[in-house]
Amino acid sequence: MTENRILKTTNGLRRVNGLLGKYVLERALSYEEKRELWLFYKEHEDTNVLIDCAVAMADKDLNLLLSDAQQLLKEAEELIGIYKSSGPLFSSFDTKADCNAHLQPFKEAWEEMKEMAHAVWMELQGISNRLDYMPFSDPEFKSLDEKCDSLRAEYNKLHSSVNELFEKYRNEQKALAGLYYFDMEYLYVLTSRLSEIARCIISDIADFREGGEA
């Protein structure tokens, strides 16, 4: 069965409206709640899929399409109303601090492992330099050479972990890039488009029926 994107968008908007109402009352949202707003925007910013869905539904169930469009318009207008009535509050909406706090454990894990690897590397270099000027006959040579091999193996393992942790940190940064720069106005602009699409669907159905073809 083809997904009803109009209904899905409406349900998403209803959840978003709840979060915006909470933000107006409490002046704060959690990191996950802010991320939910961004994910809604990210998933629904291509409004062409709604038009495609409406065209497909028009051939199957015009009454259902009308009902869905009316619900979409209701939720869209509610969001627009919330936004306009609390403009100054939404203009100060910020996600950067939340993103930085979320990224901090990834950064700290990478930096801690990097420091450990550096300490082992410095110890390895110190012993290696001693060996460079030490004759094979020196009683310490064998033990230091073995220690050098052991440190080299340990460093290689730590260096690999450093690269893995850095990759995790960078991937998390990339994944949050959209949220980091997210602005509430993006949501308002998107919802304004959704409202216009819903109005057009309702108007087109009314025109179609007034023409006596349904």
Side-chain angles (χ1 to χ4, degrees), residues 4-214:
N4 185 336
R5 287 300 299 261
I6 298 176
L7 182 59
K8 183 177 182 180
T9 303
T10 300
N11 290 336
L13 267 179
R14 189 173 294 116
R15 169 61 180 165
V16 166
N17 284 335
L19 291 175
L20 296 190
K22 178 182 178 181
Y23 185 67
V24 170
L25 289 174
E26 301 179 8
R27 299 298 195 269
L29 290 176
S30 68
Y31 163 78
E32 289 298 334
E33 288 170 333
K34 289 182 179 181
R35 186 170 182 271
E36 194 172 343
L37 294 178
W38 168 62
L39 288 175
F40 172 83
Y41 172 81
K42 182 180 177 182
E43 181 178 3
H44 298 281
E45 62 178 325
D46 180 8
T47 54
N48 288 329
V49 295
L50 286 184
I51 298 172
D52 293 339
C53 179
V55 171
M57 289 181 67
D59 292 333
K60 298 177 181 179
D61 194 330
L62 209 56
N63 289 328
L64 178 60
L65 175 59
L66 177 60
S67 175
D68 286 352
Q70 289 170 338
Q71 291 182 60
L72 175 61
L73 179 61
K74 177 178 178 296
E75 296 299 330
E77 289 301 298
E78 180 176 342
L79 188 150
I80 291 170
I82 294 173
Y83 183 87
K84 287 183 175 179
S85 65
S86 303
L89 174 63
F90 288 126
S91 66
S92 64
F93 181 83
D94 178 68
T95 59
K96 293 180 176 61
D98 300 87
C99 289
N100 288 332
H102 177 79
L103 289 169
Q104 191 62 26
F106 294 91
K107 183 180 180 181
E108 289 177 352
W110 164 56
E111 290 180 338
E112 181 180 354
M113 187 63 66
K114 186 170 61 171
E115 289 178 4
M116 291 172 60
H118 179 70
V120 172
W121 173 256
M122 293 304 294
E123 185 179 1
L124 170 62
Q125 288 299 100
I127 295 176
S128 179
N129 289 338
R130 286 183 62 189
L131 287 172
D132 287 342
Y133 297 97
M134 185 180 290
F136 294 140
S137 58
D138 191 301
E140 286 189 276
F141 186 90
K142 182 178 180 181
S143 62
L144 286 176
D145 190 46
E146 291 175 350
K147 177 67 172 177
C148 198
D149 289 340
S150 175
L151 286 171
R152 185 174 290 106
E154 182 181 358
Y155 172 76
N156 288 337
K157 184 177 180 180
L158 289 172
H159 184 66
S160 178
S161 296
V162 169
N163 289 338
E164 289 176 5
L165 289 172
F166 179 73
E167 189 67 19
K168 287 182 180 179
Y169 174 47
R170 286 292 298 143
N171 287 340
E172 203 67 19
Q173 279 186 317
K174 292 175 183 177
L176 291 182
L179 176 59
Y180 189 86
Y181 293 105
F182 181 70
D183 190 296
M184 195 66 77
E185 188 174 356
Y186 300 164
L187 194 58
Y188 170 73
V189 172
L190 169 62
T191 306
S192 296
R193 291 205 304 266
L194 296 176
S195 174
E196 184 61 28
I197 289 172
R199 289 181 187 279
C200 287
I201 292 172
I202 294 169
S203 176
D204 287 348
I205 291 175
D207 290 344
F208 180 73
R209 287 177 168 171
E210 285 178 8
E213 299 180 56

